Amino acid sequence: MRRLSVLLILHVLAAMVHAQHAPSGLNERRGYVGKKGHQERPPFRHALTDLNADGQVDAIVLLLGSSWCGSGGCNMLVFSGTNDRFTFVSASTITNEPIRVSPENAQGWKTLIVYSKGKGDVLMQFNGTHYPLNPSLQSKATTGQVEAAELLLK
């Protein structure tokens, strides 16, 4: 079932990313939007960086629009990159910009710092299989952690 979900996730992502000049490997992936029952292709923003120190760029995608954002934030997707494609890693809800990547890591993946309404900048640590679903439940980042992080999406 998870494999089907990932395929659906990647189905719609292809056209969305193509419009924003993303790498061809990410353009070929399809689905998260279809999995959620939406036919429309929402606007989005993306950033590329090596999150897992394998020498390949990974992708962070922030879905935008009323179907993907609410008063608390938007859906964020993370994809692992290889030479010719991207593989879905995780989805997080109520995520806001700025999105930063920390030099710190957990379970071999860099920690993300995202903005959580009502809480501020929070740490999103990889748990071995995915990033947290809900940023508002995560620990607040220190000023030093925020300053040491690289800004990806603002």
Side-chain angles (χ1 to χ4, degrees):
M1 185 67 165
R2 180 172 167 102
R3 183 170 298 251
L4 177 60
S5 296
V6 170
L7 290 174
L8 289 172
I9 290 167
L10 300 172
H11 174 70
V12 174
L13 197 61
M16 294 181 337
V17 174
H18 178 71
Q20 295 190 14
H21 309 291
S24 62
L26 191 54
N27 290 339
E28 295 165 7
R29 307 324 304 157
R30 307 181 188 234
Y32 185 80
V33 173
K35 173 190 162 216
K36 296 293 188 178
H38 296 274
Q39 299 305 314
E40 68 184 62
R41 294 183 174 140
F44 69 98
R45 297 195 46 183
H46 77 280
L48 303 172
T49 189
D50 186 1
L51 294 171
N52 57 1
D54 66 355
Q56 301 289 325
V57 293
D58 304 306
I60 298 169
V61 175
L62 188 64
L63 299 177
L64 305 171
S66 60
S67 294
W68 304 102
C69 301
S71 61
C74 300
N75 284 265
M76 178 183 74
L77 309 177
V78 176
F79 294 86
S80 173
T82 64
N83 286 335
D84 62 349
R85 65 187 175 115
F86 286 88
T87 303
F88 175 77
V89 173
S90 70
S92 301
T93 60
I94 59 172
T95 302
N96 293 284
E97 297 170 302
I99 298 174
R100 297 175 172 89
V101 62
S102 169
E104 300 173 19
N105 69 62
Q107 303 291 322
W109 285 69
K110 290 192 176 174
T111 297
L112 299 175
I113 299 175
V114 304
Y115 185 80
S116 177
K117 287 189 178 175
K119 194 164 187 181
D121 292 308
V122 297
L123 300 170
M124 299 282 283
Q125 296 180 318
F126 193 74
N127 72 359
T129 59
H130 60 274
Y131 285 94
L133 176 65
N134 187 338
S136 70
L137 301 176
Q138 305 311 305
S139 300
K140 192 165 170 53
T142 67
T143 301
Q145 288 170 316
V146 172
E147 289 173 353
E150 175 188 358
L151 181 62
L152 297 178
L153 294 171
K154 62 176 179 172

